[in-house]
């Protein structure tokens, strides 16, 4: 359905407020900027800001409603015969190549990460969002697999997949913050992603088994006496 004039103006106002807010956050830091500062920069009233965003954290995380259901979209977008893990592997590797924001791999992700790390309230909100994403994905997995309400498998699978992608993304951002270029990070991230998804596909049942066998059976000492 074609967007009406009123809806378009509301969308543009919301985007202008979010853009102004992010600009201020990047310059001054999240905690030092007030909603009144954002309202002045966007040339709107404080009430107008709160009409579009419930909290100051929502101003920073203006895509949160979309982000929360992106993993469910990956599940519904599987190719014929494709497993859930394979779909996430394909989606994550594609995001690496495209530097896409959906996994926090876009330009500016290091700035975003620094701002979050400097603000306790943003860190708390990010944890809430991660919980919401896990819940949404678990519900989707339960739906598509027709899982029993008491079956914990959808929750386990959702937690494992999303924590794997978060681990990969966070470490990529950490290396960027440490001064590495994307050209240096890219091959490492691609290799790590393949290894992580291999592990998710095969399971961790034999992880550490070889090491345990070596510990249980240390090499025999050679008699050096003559």
């Amino acid at each position: 359905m074609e967007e009406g004039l009123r809806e378009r103006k509301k969308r543009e106002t919301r985007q202008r407020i979010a853009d102004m807010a992010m600009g201020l956050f990047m310059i001054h830091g999240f905690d030092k900027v007030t909603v009144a500062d954002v309202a002045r920069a966007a040339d709107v009233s404080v009430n107008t800001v709160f009409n579009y965003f419930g909290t100051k954290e929502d101003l920073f995380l203006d895509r949160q409603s979309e982000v929360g259901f992106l993993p469910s979209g990956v599940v519904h977008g599987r190719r014929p015969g494709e497993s859930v893990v394979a779909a996430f592997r394909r989606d994550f590797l594609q995001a690496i190549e495209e530097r896409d924001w959906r996994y926090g791999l876009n330009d500016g992700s290091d700035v975003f990460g620094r701002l979050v790390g400097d603000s306790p309230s943003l860190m708390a909100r990010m944890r809430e969002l991660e919980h919401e994403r896990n819940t949404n994905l678990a519900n989707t997995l339960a739906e598509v697999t027709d899982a029993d309400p008491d079956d914990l498998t959808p929750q386990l699978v959702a937690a494992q997949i999303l924590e794997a992608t978060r681990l990969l993304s966070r470490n990529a951002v950490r290396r960027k913050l440490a001064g590495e270029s994307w050209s240096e990070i890219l091959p490492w991230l691609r290799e790590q992603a393949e290894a992580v998804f291999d592990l998710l596909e095969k399971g961790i049942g034999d992880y550490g088994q070889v090491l345990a066998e070596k510990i249980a059976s240390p090499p025999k000492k050679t008699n050096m006496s003559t």
Side-chain angles (χ1 to χ4, degrees):
M1 191 171 78
E2 186 176 350
E3 183 181 36
L5 178 61
R6 185 170 181 271
E7 288 73 22
R8 178 171 61 82
K9 286 186 175 181
K10 289 177 65 175
R11 175 176 55 80
E12 290 174 349
T13 298
R14 185 184 191 281
Q15 190 61 55
R16 185 174 76 255
I17 293 171
D19 290 344
M20 290 296 181
M22 185 56 71
L24 291 173
F25 296 150
M26 291 175 65
I27 295 171
H28 304 290
F30 179 80
D31 291 334
K32 292 183 179 180
V33 175
T34 67
V35 174
D37 294 332
V38 174
R40 282 192 296 271
D43 195 25
V44 297
S45 69
V46 171
N47 286 340
T48 298
V49 174
F50 282 121
N51 284 340
Y52 290 95
F53 302 94
T55 66
K56 192 174 78 166
E57 287 74 22
D58 293 337
L59 276 166
F60 185 84
L61 302 164
D62 62 300
R63 284 177 163 178
Q64 60 184 299
S65 59
E66 181 180 356
V67 170
F69 289 96
L70 284 176
S72 297
V74 175
V75 174
H76 289 304
R78 283 171 297 155
R79 295 168 179 173
E82 188 175 45
S83 71
V84 170
V85 172
F88 274 95
R89 180 200 293 263
R90 174 172 54 81
D91 191 60
F92 190 84
L93 290 174
Q94 181 183 13
I96 291 175
E97 301 304 325
E98 297 175 352
R99 300 289 309 277
D100 193 86
W101 65 271
R102 66 185 182 274
Y103 289 107
L105 301 173
N106 53 299
D107 287 332
S109 59
D110 52 334
V111 177
F112 183 93
R114 185 184 295 112
L115 287 169
V116 171
D118 289 341
S119 172
S121 64
L122 282 180
M123 291 181 67
R125 183 63 183 130
M126 288 296 292
R127 286 192 291 269
E128 291 176 4
L129 290 177
E130 289 171 0
H131 177 72
E132 291 172 13
R133 280 164 62 88
N134 280 29
T135 300
N136 292 337
L137 179 57
N139 290 340
T140 298
L141 292 174
E143 177 186 348
V144 300
T145 61
D146 196 25
D148 186 90
D150 293 327
D151 186 356
L152 299 179
T153 304
Q155 296 178 50
L156 175 64
V157 173
Q160 292 295 313
I161 290 176
L162 293 184
E163 186 56 32
T165 59
R166 284 193 287 263
L167 181 67
L168 291 164
S169 298
R170 285 171 181 166
N171 278 277
V173 171
R174 176 184 59 79
R175 294 179 68 141
K176 189 72 168 63
L177 287 169
E180 292 187 56
S181 67
W182 180 249
S183 61
E184 294 173 308
I185 297 171
L186 178 59
W188 169 85
L189 182 57
R190 190 186 294 119
E191 178 183 358
Q192 290 295 309
E194 292 284 12
V196 165
F197 282 104
D198 281 347
L199 193 60
L200 286 174
E201 286 186 340
K202 297 173 184 176
I204 61 174
D206 60 353
Y207 182 76
Q209 180 178 353
V210 174
L211 177 61
E213 289 173 353
K214 289 181 178 179
I215 294 173
S217 303
K220 294 181 180 180
K221 293 182 179 181
T222 303
N223 190 347
M224 300 298 291
S225 62
T226 57

